[in-house]
């Protein structure tokens, strides 16, 4: 038995000795080196993954503890700004976590509650840190800083925010524009309305949201001033934010020179529709000829706007215009004409029934039937 055990040990030792000796063939030797290198790289990657996972887990535990500590503080300050305020450590990640919590809570609040949270922001002296975030290489951090300035709405931060309107990133530039409008609506729109012409990447809906945020009193003068300097369709499309009496002259001129073709782009079409809306709001019967001319425009959107403008200054004698529009090939035009007919001043049920019976276009009859049924409700 001892001899057999000794032989087994010798055999194993010999095998291990053979494994530690590199083969003489260069190709096999290269294969061995490659296998050893791959094994080493695999071990390093696995170790790196384990270390990063552990670091992320520790960071997440620290953030959860930070949130549990500061959430009651923020809630207390949203109710009463004299609540006890613990010191905020100057660690970068904790200040960033605080800003995320503060901005998220600001989005959910209104009125005096937001002002109390702004005072909390000042008490913690976060302004210099947030200004520093504007120079960060991370777009996300710059967007967070701009969101904070939008909530603060203080004009003293105008200088560091204004240059970001020129950012090549449209999301960042619009966020900067929103912050400027929150600081000073009138000053912001004076800067942004002419700039809107240059920024082709700014969507009209997004800029209209900025106009709504600023309000008509701040947007209207800026649009009129920009339009006097440059009659650009992108600016003309914003005329809905101008008081009709102040935009009347522009609206009449726009309808006189607007091309009567279906090749208008979206902004030119919006400018014509804004002009019609303006004249409709004025209720000046001297504008009827311009409005009625637009009823023959090739674009359905323009014809709808013309019908709505005519509806605002119509009488019972105008039923012929609306009845003719019930035969329009555009569904929206027929619906607008039917809605205008049933609300004409002085029109009665008998007159509507007579008009309905006289219609030859079945689609126009359907539109008028629907409008009459809704009017009876």
């Amino acid at each position: 038995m001892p001899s057999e055990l000794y032989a087994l040990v010798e055999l194993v030792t010999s095998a291990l000795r053979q494994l530690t000796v590199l083969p003489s063939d260069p190709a096999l030797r290269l294969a061995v080196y490659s296998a050893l290198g791959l094994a080493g790289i695999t071990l390093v990657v696995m170790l790196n993954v384990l270390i990063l996972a552990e670091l992320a887990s520790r960071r997440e535990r620290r953030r959860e503890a930070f949130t549990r500590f500061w959430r009651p503080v923020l809630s207390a300050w949203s109710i009463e700004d004299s609540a006890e305020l613990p010191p905020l450590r100057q660690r970068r990640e904790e200040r960033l976590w605080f800003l995320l919590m503060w901005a998220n809570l600001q989005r959910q609040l209104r009125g005096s509650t937001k002002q109390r949270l702004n005072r909390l922001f000042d008490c913690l002296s976060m302004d210099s840190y947030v200004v520093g975030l504007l120079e960060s290489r991370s777009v996300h951090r710059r967007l967070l800083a701009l969101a904070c300035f939008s909530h603060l709405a203080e004009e003293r931060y105008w200088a560091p925010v204004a240059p970001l309107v020129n950012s090549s990133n449209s999301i960042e530039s619009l966020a900067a524009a929103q912050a400027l409008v929150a600081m000073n609506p009138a000053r912001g729109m004076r800067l942004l309305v002419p700039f809107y012409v240059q920024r082709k990447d700014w969507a009209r809906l997004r800029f209209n949201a900025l106009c709504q945020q600023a309000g008509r009193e701040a947007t209207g003068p800026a649009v009129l001033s920009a339009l006097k300097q440059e009659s650009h369709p992108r600016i003309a499309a914003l005329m809905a934010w101008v008081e009709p009496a102040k935009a009347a002259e522009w609206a009449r001129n726009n309808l006189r020179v607007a091309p009567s073709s279906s090749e208008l782009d979206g902004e030119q079409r919006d400018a014509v529709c804004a002009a019609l809306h303006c004249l409709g709001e004025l209720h000046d019967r001297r504008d009827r000829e311009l409005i009625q001319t637009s009823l023959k425009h090739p674009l359905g959107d323009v014809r709808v706007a013309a019908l709505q403008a005519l509806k605002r200054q119509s009488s019972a004698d105008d039923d012929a215009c609306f009845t003719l529009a019930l035969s329009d090939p555009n569904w929206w035009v027929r619906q607008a004409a039917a809605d205008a007919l049933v609300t004409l001043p002085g029109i009665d049920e008998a007159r509507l029934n007579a008009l309905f019976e006289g219609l030859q276009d079945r689609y126009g009859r359907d539109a008028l039937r629907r409008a009459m049924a809704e009017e009876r409700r």
Side-chain angles (χ1 to χ4, degrees):
M1 181 65 68
S3 59
E4 293 180 358
L5 181 60
Y6 179 78
L8 179 60
V9 171
E10 285 292 327
L11 180 62
V12 171
T13 305
S14 176
L16 291 175
R17 189 180 299 112
Q18 290 294 327
L19 288 175
T20 57
V21 177
L22 293 175
S24 58
D25 190 337
L28 293 177
R29 189 180 298 113
L30 178 62
V32 171
Y33 285 141
S34 299
L36 292 174
L38 183 61
I41 293 174
T42 302
L43 290 174
V44 171
V45 171
M46 291 178 61
L47 183 61
N48 189 46
V49 169
L50 291 174
I51 292 174
L52 290 178
E54 178 62 23
L55 292 176
S57 177
R58 291 185 179 184
R59 186 173 184 273
E60 187 62 28
R61 289 195 295 269
R62 289 199 308 272
R63 183 168 183 176
E64 290 177 358
F66 181 87
T67 302
R68 286 195 301 269
F69 179 81
W70 278 98
R71 182 175 293 161
V73 176
L74 286 170
S75 300
W77 268 78
S78 67
I79 300 172
E80 183 181 3
D81 57 7
S82 60
E84 183 179 354
L85 181 62
L88 178 64
R89 289 190 293 182
Q90 296 301 307
R91 295 180 63 174
R92 181 179 303 176
E93 63 178 9
E94 293 195 359
R95 286 186 292 176
L96 189 63
W97 295 340
F98 176 82
L99 283 181
L100 289 169
M101 292 176 60
W102 181 85
N104 184 54
L105 187 58
Q106 282 278 27
R107 283 196 296 268
Q108 305 172 31
L109 302 176
R110 296 292 182 272
S112 60
T113 305
K114 293 177 68 70
Q115 298 303 320
R116 284 193 285 269
L117 287 179
N118 287 347
R119 286 193 287 273
L120 169 62
F121 185 94
D122 291 335
C123 289
L124 292 174
S125 302
M126 295 292 295
D127 50 351
S128 58
Y129 174 70
V130 178
V131 171
L133 287 180
L134 293 177
E135 301 176 0
S136 171
R137 294 183 179 181
S138 170
V139 176
H140 295 86
R141 295 194 176 190
R142 295 198 301 270
L143 289 175
L144 174 60
L146 291 172
C148 292
F149 288 133
S150 294
H151 295 306
L152 290 170
E154 295 185 11
E155 200 169 357
R156 59 191 169 111
Y157 301 115
W158 184 282
V161 172
L164 291 180
V165 175
N166 297 299
S167 172
S168 58
N169 186 318
S170 61
I171 296 177
E172 182 179 4
S173 63
L174 281 168
Q178 183 179 1
L180 294 181
V181 170
M183 295 175 190
N184 187 323
R187 183 183 177 186
M189 296 314 295
R190 285 197 300 270
L191 170 68
L192 297 173
V193 170
F195 195 71
Y196 173 60
V197 177
Q198 307 169 20
R199 293 301 300 245
K200 303 298 183 182
D201 56 338
W202 282 11
R204 283 176 292 159
L205 290 178
R206 291 294 303 272
F207 195 78
N208 272 323
L210 282 178
C211 295
Q212 184 175 5
Q213 177 186 348
R216 175 176 276 191
E217 292 183 359
T219 305
V223 172
L224 279 177
S225 176
L227 200 60
K228 292 177 181 178
Q229 299 176 12
E230 180 183 8
S231 183
H232 195 280
R234 282 175 72 85
I235 299 179
L238 301 174
M239 290 304 294
W241 296 100
V242 182
E243 293 181 13
K246 296 180 180 179
E249 181 180 356
W250 168 86
R252 295 182 182 112
N253 292 334
N254 183 277
L255 291 179
R256 291 190 185 103
V257 302
S260 299
S261 68
S262 58
E263 297 180 356
L264 298 180
D265 61 27
E267 290 162 353
Q268 291 174 324
R269 178 202 61 209
D270 289 348
V272 173
C273 292
L276 288 167
H277 178 78
C278 173
L279 296 186
E281 291 288 337
L282 287 176
H283 301 281
D284 191 337
R285 296 185 68 84
R286 293 174 296 179
D287 298 322
R288 287 174 61 83
E289 183 179 353
L290 284 173
I291 296 174
Q292 289 175 336
T293 301
S294 299
L295 291 174
K296 303 175 184 178
H297 200 281
L299 288 178
D301 290 348
V302 175
R303 298 198 299 275
V304 170
L307 285 170
Q308 293 172 344
L310 187 61
K311 173 184 174 182
R312 295 187 179 95
Q313 52 181 246
S314 60
S315 63
D317 298 332
D318 296 317
D319 57 356
C321 290
F322 298 117
T323 304
L324 183 63
L326 286 173
S327 301
D328 194 279
N330 186 290
W331 186 90
W332 292 103
V333 174
R334 296 195 300 271
Q335 303 306 312
D339 291 337
L341 266 176
V342 298
T343 57
L344 277 179
I347 199 166
D348 54 18
E349 187 81 12
R351 179 59 179 159
L352 286 174
N353 288 329
L355 291 173
F356 178 80
E357 295 299 330
L359 287 174
Q360 301 299 321
D361 187 281
R362 69 185 184 94
Y363 297 109
R365 291 169 67 92
D366 290 341
L368 186 56
R369 183 187 296 112
R370 187 270 313 163
M372 293 169 61
E374 291 184 355
E375 186 66 16
R376 294 192 191 105
R377 293 179 182 174

